[in-house]
Amino acid sequence: MHAILLALAGLLTATARPAPADTSLRVDQLRTEYLSNPIGTDVRRPRLSWRIVTSRRNTVQTAYEIAVSTDSAGLLAGRPLVWSSGRVPSDRSVFVEYGGPALRSATRYYWHVRVWDGTRASAWSTPSWWETGLLGRSDWTAQWIRPPDAQHDSAGGPAPMLRHAFTLAGRVRSARLYVTSLGLYAVELNGHRVGADAFTPGWTSYGKRLQYQTYDVTGLLATGSNAIGATLGDGWYRGHLGFNDGQNLYGRRVALLLQLDVRYADGRAERIVSDGGWKAATGPILMSDIYGGETYDARQERAGWSTPRYDDSGWNPVALADPPAAVLVAPVAEAVRRTAEIRPIAILHTPSGQTAFDLGQNITGWVRLRVSGAAGTTIVLRHGEVLDKDGNVYFGNLRNAAQTDRYTLRGGAEEIYEPHFTYHGFRYVTVEGLPTPPTLETVTGIVVHSDLPETGRFVTSDTMLNRLQQNIVWGQRGNFLDVPTDCPQRDERLGWTGDAQVFARTAAFNMFVPGFFSKWLADLAADQHPGGSVPWVIPNPLGGDSTTFASAAGWADAAVVVPWTMYLVYGDQRLLERQYPSMRAWVDYGARRAGPGLVWRNNRYFGDWLAWHSDDASYPGATTGKDFIATAYLAHSTDLVARAAAALGRTTDARKYAARFAAIRDAFQREFVSPGGRVAENTQTAYAMAINFGLVRPAERAGDTRRLADDIRVHGGHLSTGFLGTPEVTHALSNNGHLADAYRLLLQRGYPSWLYPITRGATTMWERWDGIRPDSSFEEPSMNSFNHYAFGAVGDWMYQVIGGINLDPSAPGYRHALIAPRPGGGLTSASTAIETLYGTLATAWTLDSTAYTLDVDVPPNTSARLTLWDATAGRTRVSGRPVARAVGVRSLHQEGNDLVLEVGSGHYAFRVTR
Ligand code: BGC
């Protein structure tokens, strides 16, 4: 009896007083979909992710509990809740779907989470939130408006300004601005710029999807008189776009849709909308074009135009515009923003008489100009990437993109100018018309790109290699500008699918890109032709049909490779599911084009684009046949579709596409592999692609890898590959017993190579191996970008093989990582990390004649298989202890020269005596 009472008492205290939270287990970095605290999301069932923080090894989440409330105080008090998951026994900590009632428009949902790990319970996390945007078309009561006069009916004219004054009859508790446009917009409220985003509403498949943004503007409003103003730019919508000098490609008229929802302190609501009551005028921006640059006359500024006291009696009433057919969608990724400022390192006076600033870094963005002088003086800023062999700033490779900003002074005090609706790819900026001699303070470089969190670290003992990594990252910064572009300087800057496809995996090491690519893939699916063909560029302003500007092998395959890559890297199953019809449509299209023989013979497009050629007449070039490439890619993408189907539980499809892959592989072997097992095209690209895509018989892989290595030797230790072959070569070598050859190739400094451009001062990746040749001559100006990331796709090899950070396709998102650094190339250290959704996954190794040390961080709630290079259990210690007895080491065995361990989360410091 006594015992029972005691037990009962114990039970009572246990339920009445929960065990105190264990502070050694915490939860942070709460994310809704891909963002933290996203405002204006339209995801109906958002997925929630969190990171577990603990210093204890082997931590696995055993349960979680999520609570959601529209009231932050209520959340902390445990009521009133919109949704509580209850305690869910689960190890899932990323992409957990909200399971509550349907979300309401324009509502902020606060949430927090706590977790258990079997022995410990965390405290509730600090609350986070998401806020919904306008979920239904009927939530919009604003009207589309446009400037009235005919001068605005085409691109190239002055930027229209639209304004509206209004009164707020009470104290404002909160206010939200919902806004979008045809063309670009910049909004001001009472003289203050709204938000820090640039190039809004962003570039999408404008005919079908148009983004709107949501801003919290509570702090910009006043009781009483207010005014709002918007400037519109031509942007991608109707400015110059594409290599054919096109303009007005999406439409001729820019327009604005804007809604300001105000909630007063006393609970009343007020709504200000764009409508026929607004007024329009033009101002200082006389011309603004993404390629061309901006012409700005400060004398025509309309001081105070977005404030209530401004007299707009001279302005015209706006016209109403037809609503576009596109669906309004909320952004899922970070916007484009200014991310850094760069001081020039020198002022040059070039032989041809140019005065130029050298930023020391090729960037994408613009400069801020500080100047004072007489009214009417015009300063001309021209932007170029490199100096020619005489030392003059080179503009030849810009083709029809003028990249020129013209600023006319208003006179008086110092004037500060930045352009509005244009960007430039440049390291040098020439200046004309300065009233006084330039100083290093005259201009500041403004770096602009999609503001994606940087997630990667890669630093080794080789400074050239480190510079290569930096150049790759700069290439990514400069070209991830709302869409993944080929280049930021010439009249192109398009979402080239092939470039994005080869670079996606590298991109996902360097930055957090799931939202960025999710947006782009939605546009890919939107612009995909009926029947499955995929345009060359996404979004696709080029038009065309299923074979014109479309269906290029290795390019269109972005439809398959990119969603599969995002799935592997982030474990984002919903994205894979959403893209699956698009993925399948592309490979089905390819199979139809290949016909019953399954060899794709008529894909006449880019092949192994920009494979190295030489002007030496005795060198035949390394051209890989287009039939070979088209068939290899068809096989590869079909293989990936089969894997995607399996991952999504679509077993019938998984079997069907696996069988089709096998059939294409057989056809490929009949056509392109000799009976003796030799890949019949003797190029590095042919070998590497056939090996990596699983198209040569396993027994023949070694022979073909040897021939690949031999061909590199024939080329004096150099590459001969183009866009498609380049990312394959090092993997093919190191996966098949030729690690040293892979290192030699990567560390080659002679021409052509990855490091050669660095010997020529490159600070970004070049489009071509011979952009600047050893004799200082340039490649032909019509195609010679110095900021093209495609050849930077070797970055994934650097992370995966040197850093040894790899993922396990059967546990995507680095849920279970495969860690296997493979030292070589004379490197004595490498420190590599990626910020996964679970936390930091890192390796750092050092190597000398006495020891190999490896520090590893495995994020909580994940595990890893660790291959310790050239080690045995007897020679290995973890923080001074024998490896077999270390906490967290779950198993170990010898594989050849390497020691293979299965480890739980935590930090491990290995030391292997040599
Ligand atoms: C672009 C590319 C693209 C290629 C396709 C070029 O003009 O700059 O990077 O992939 O065309 O051939």
Side-chain angles (χ1 to χ4, degrees):
M1 168 76 175
H2 197 59
I4 293 173
L5 269 180
L6 270 181
L8 206 64
L11 205 67
L12 282 174
T13 40
T15 42
R17 254 191 296 125
D22 190 327
T23 51
S24 67
L25 184 70
R26 283 193 302 114
V27 190
D28 72 1
Q29 280 193 9
L30 274 58
R31 238 183 249 274
T32 305
E33 289 292 307
Y34 309 121
L35 300 167
S36 90
N37 300 342
I39 187 167
T41 169
D42 62 4
V43 179
R44 307 294 170 134
R45 301 195 82 70
R47 293 160 305 164
L48 310 176
S49 306
W50 54 90
R51 188 180 74 161
I52 296 169
V53 184
T54 177
S55 57
R56 199 182 288 181
R57 283 198 190 140
N58 239 337
T59 297
V60 178
Q61 174 189 292
T62 52
Y64 67 79
E65 181 176 355
I66 300 169
V68 179
S69 171
T70 49
D71 165 26
S72 59
L75 183 73
L76 296 177
R79 84 212 123 67
L81 294 180
V82 172
W83 179 59
S84 164
S85 68
R87 186 179 191 277
V88 182
S90 167
D91 59 4
R92 204 177 168 102
S93 57
V94 309
F95 294 129
V96 176
E97 192 172 292
Y98 163 77
L103 300 178
R104 287 183 282 123
S105 279
T107 305
R108 184 168 291 196
Y109 292 86
Y110 298 88
W111 67 283
H112 61 183
V113 56
R114 59 177 167 171
V115 302
W116 289 262
D117 79 342
T119 57
R120 297 173 291 173
S122 77
W124 284 105
S125 67
T126 306
S128 177
W129 52 262
W130 76 86
E131 184 176 313
T132 49
L134 302 182
L135 300 178
R137 195 84 201 198
S138 61
D139 291 325
W140 289 93
T141 53
Q143 291 178 295
W144 281 93
I145 58 172
R146 62 176 176 85
D149 28 352
Q151 69 159 335
H152 292 298
D153 284 355
S154 181
M161 299 159 78
L162 311 176
R163 73 163 248 125
H164 177 64
F166 56 95
T167 306
L168 293 178
R171 202 160 59 76
V172 175
R173 190 176 73 206
S174 75
R176 294 293 181 272
L177 180 71
Y178 304 96
V179 56
T180 185
S181 58
L182 302 177
L184 303 174
Y185 73 79
V187 176
E188 292 181 15
L189 251 177
N190 296 323
H192 298 283
R193 177 85 153 82
V194 173
D197 304 344
F199 300 102
T200 46
W203 188 11
T204 47
S205 170
Y206 286 138
K208 304 196 177 94
R209 299 174 0 98
L210 179 64
Q211 294 190 138
Y212 69 92
Q213 280 75 29
T214 303
Y215 295 99
D216 180 349
V217 293
T218 313
L220 297 179
L221 293 171
T223 304
S225 306
N226 291 268
I228 188 162
T231 309
L232 299 178
D234 291 347
W236 298 287
Y237 186 77
R238 71 171 188 184
H240 281 104
L241 196 59
F243 37 77
N244 291 328
D245 223 19
Q247 264 179 310
N248 302 311
L249 294 185
Y250 287 101
R252 304 188 71 84
R253 286 171 170 171
V254 291
L256 175 77
L257 180 74
L258 179 152
Q259 187 160 308
L260 176 61
D261 282 331
V262 177
R263 175 78 51 191
Y264 291 114
D266 61 13
R268 282 175 306 132
E270 181 100 60
R271 176 170 286 179
I272 314 301
V273 296
S274 52
D275 62 17
W278 285 50
K279 292 204 163 169
T282 58
I285 302 178
L286 305 184
M287 185 280 284
S288 205
D289 183 81
I290 287 182
Y291 299 163
E294 181 162 297
T295 302
Y296 188 97
D297 186 343
R299 295 169 304 178
Q300 303 201 39
E301 280 172 353
R302 296 175 177 273
W305 70 282
S306 67
T307 61
R309 282 167 308 282
Y310 181 79
D311 175 11
D312 64 11
S313 53
W315 291 41
N316 295 318
V318 297
L320 293 182
D322 295 332
V327 178
L328 296 182
V329 296
V332 296
E334 293 79 358
V336 176
R337 299 187 189 107
R338 296 166 174 77
T339 62
E341 302 198 349
I342 297 191
R343 272 293 158 90
I345 57 167
I347 298 173
L348 312 177
H349 300 282
T350 73
S352 70
Q354 300 160 330
T355 300
F357 297 93
D358 176 4
L359 293 186
Q361 172 63 51
N362 198 15
I363 67 164
T364 295
W366 52 76
V367 295
R368 181 191 308 128
L369 172 70
R370 289 163 159 269
V371 62
S372 36
T377 311
T378 297
I379 317 287
V380 181
L381 299 162
R382 286 185 81 189
H383 305 75
E385 292 186 287
V386 289
L387 300 179
D388 67 17
K389 61 171 181 297
D390 302 320
N392 298 307
V393 181
Y394 179 63
F395 300 114
N397 66 333
L398 304 179
R399 303 196 309 216
N400 283 335
Q403 294 214 122
T404 302
D405 296 337
R406 290 189 174 77
Y407 179 76
T408 300
L409 276 68
R410 75 177 84 86
E414 183 180 67
E415 302 177 36
I416 295 177
Y417 166 71
E418 289 182 35
H420 300 78
F421 301 116
T422 185
Y423 70 87
H424 317 302
F426 69 106
R427 167 176 170 168
Y428 301 93
V429 54
T430 63
V431 58
E432 289 163 39
L434 276 184
T436 51
T439 71
L440 292 175
E441 276 70 52
T442 305
V443 303
T444 305
I446 310 289
V447 180
V448 180
H449 52 90
S450 285
D451 194 7
L452 307 170
E454 297 202 355
T455 49
R457 178 184 77 219
F458 179 88
V459 184
T460 70
S461 52
D462 186 312
T463 48
M464 286 273 265
L465 196 55
N466 300 344
R467 184 66 234 193
L468 176 64
Q469 166 64 15
Q470 287 168 30
N471 289 4
I472 295 170
V473 174
W474 273 109
Q476 183 167 352
R477 291 192 188 114
N479 283 299
F480 275 36
L481 199 143
D482 211 50
V483 310
T485 63
D486 56 335
C487 58
Q489 75 298 84
R490 68 178 179 228
D491 52 345
E492 195 140 359
R493 315 185 190 188
L494 300 171
W496 277 99
T497 44
D499 310 38
Q501 181 267 112
V502 297
F503 190 67
R505 184 68 188 275
T506 303
F509 276 108
N510 292 327
M511 297 182 195
F512 188 65
V513 295
F516 179 82
F517 276 119
S518 170
K519 163 185 177 284
W520 188 70
L521 287 169
D523 291 312
L524 187 149
D527 279 348
Q528 193 165 10
H529 295 289
S533 177
V534 178
W536 292 350
V537 297
I538 299 294
N540 177 27
L542 305 176
D545 56 26
S546 62
T547 55
T548 317
F549 302 137
S551 79
W555 269 249
D557 294 275
V560 176
V561 174
V562 178
W564 179 246
T565 304
M566 292 305 110
Y567 170 73
L568 290 180
V569 175
Y570 301 106
D572 187 346
Q573 184 130 357
R574 193 191 277 177
L575 177 61
L576 190 67
E577 184 75 55
R578 189 192 78 191
Q579 292 302 123
Y580 184 73
S582 154
M583 299 167 74
R584 199 174 49 185
W586 163 245
V587 296
D588 286 350
Y589 172 86
R592 283 199 304 279
R593 284 283 301 278
L598 293 177
V599 173
W600 192 340
R601 294 182 201 284
N602 50 1
N603 195 292
R604 60 183 191 280
Y605 298 117
F606 315 121
D608 190 24
W609 184 248
L610 301 189
W612 187 68
H613 68 275
S614 135
D615 295 332
D616 174 357
S618 66
Y619 174 64
T623 312
T624 308
K626 291 183 180 171
D627 297 359
F628 181 105
I629 286 174
T631 309
Y633 253 99
L634 179 60
H636 181 50
S637 284
T638 305
D639 182 20
L640 297 186
V641 169
R643 291 168 201 258
L648 295 171
R650 296 168 177 261
T651 41
T652 316
D653 267 15
R655 270 197 300 275
K656 170 176 152 188
Y657 288 100
R660 193 190 289 169
F661 165 65
I664 302 171
R665 185 190 55 204
D666 293 347
F668 179 92
Q669 287 175 356
R670 280 192 299 277
E671 185 84 11
F672 301 111
V673 182
S674 77
R678 178 186 288 259
V679 169
E681 301 213 8
N682 184 35
T683 64
Q684 296 169 16
T685 292
Y687 291 121
M689 212 177 253
I691 293 165
N692 291 355
F693 292 177
L695 301 177
V696 297
R697 285 174 279 270
E700 289 146 6
R701 216 177 287 144
D704 281 313
T705 311
R706 204 182 50 247
R707 282 185 276 273
L708 166 62
D710 286 347
D711 188 76
I712 294 168
R713 236 160 268 139
V714 167
H715 283 82
H718 296 278
L719 288 154
S720 68
T721 49
F723 274 26
L724 299 182
T726 301
E728 307 298 339
V729 181
T730 40
H731 286 292
L733 291 169
S734 62
N735 285 340
N736 296 288
H738 287 259
L739 179 67
D741 287 314
Y743 265 109
R744 250 194 305 280
L745 189 64
L746 177 67
L747 297 175
Q748 168 68 258
R749 297 172 182 208
Y751 167 79
S753 66
W754 281 289
L755 299 187
Y756 162 75
I758 296 171
T759 68
R760 306 298 313 223
T763 59
T764 37
M765 301 306 296
W766 293 354
E767 177 176 26
R768 312 182 75 141
W769 298 119
D770 58 347
I772 303 176
R773 303 191 187 95
D775 67 0
S776 297
S777 63
F778 286 132
E779 247 292 352
E780 41 152 337
S782 63
M783 262 205 26
N784 198 16
S785 147
F786 294 96
N787 196 355
H788 242 71
Y789 55 62
F791 288 150
V794 70
D796 80 20
W797 189 87
M798 290 156 45
Y799 277 99
Q800 286 177 45
V801 179
I802 303 177
I805 293 186
N806 220 319
L807 49 81
D808 179 347
S810 66
Y814 295 97
R815 182 75 214 247
H816 180 249
L818 305 177
I819 298 179
R822 298 171 71 189
L827 302 185
T828 54
S829 69
S831 166
T832 310
I834 178 171
E835 209 52 53
T836 74
L837 284 169
Y838 298 94
T840 311
L841 175 60
T843 65
W845 57 260
T846 64
L847 180 65
D848 63 26
S849 54
T850 59
Y852 167 59
T853 69
L854 174 65
D855 278 39
V856 174
D857 286 293
V858 179
N861 206 27
T862 74
S863 59
R865 176 190 150 106
L866 209 147
T867 304
L868 259 186
W869 171 81
D870 202 15
T872 58
R875 288 190 285 120
T876 306
R877 306 207 136 228
V878 184
S879 303
R881 294 234 197 91
V883 61
R885 294 217 294 275
V887 177
V889 174
R890 297 174 182 171
S891 73
L892 90 180
H893 68 273
Q894 194 72 30
E895 267 183 29
N897 290 336
D898 302 334
L899 185 64
V900 178
L901 293 71
E902 197 55 48
V903 299
S905 69
H907 177 84
Y908 301 84
F910 296 94
R911 184 184 169 84
V912 184
T913 329
R914 288 164 62 78

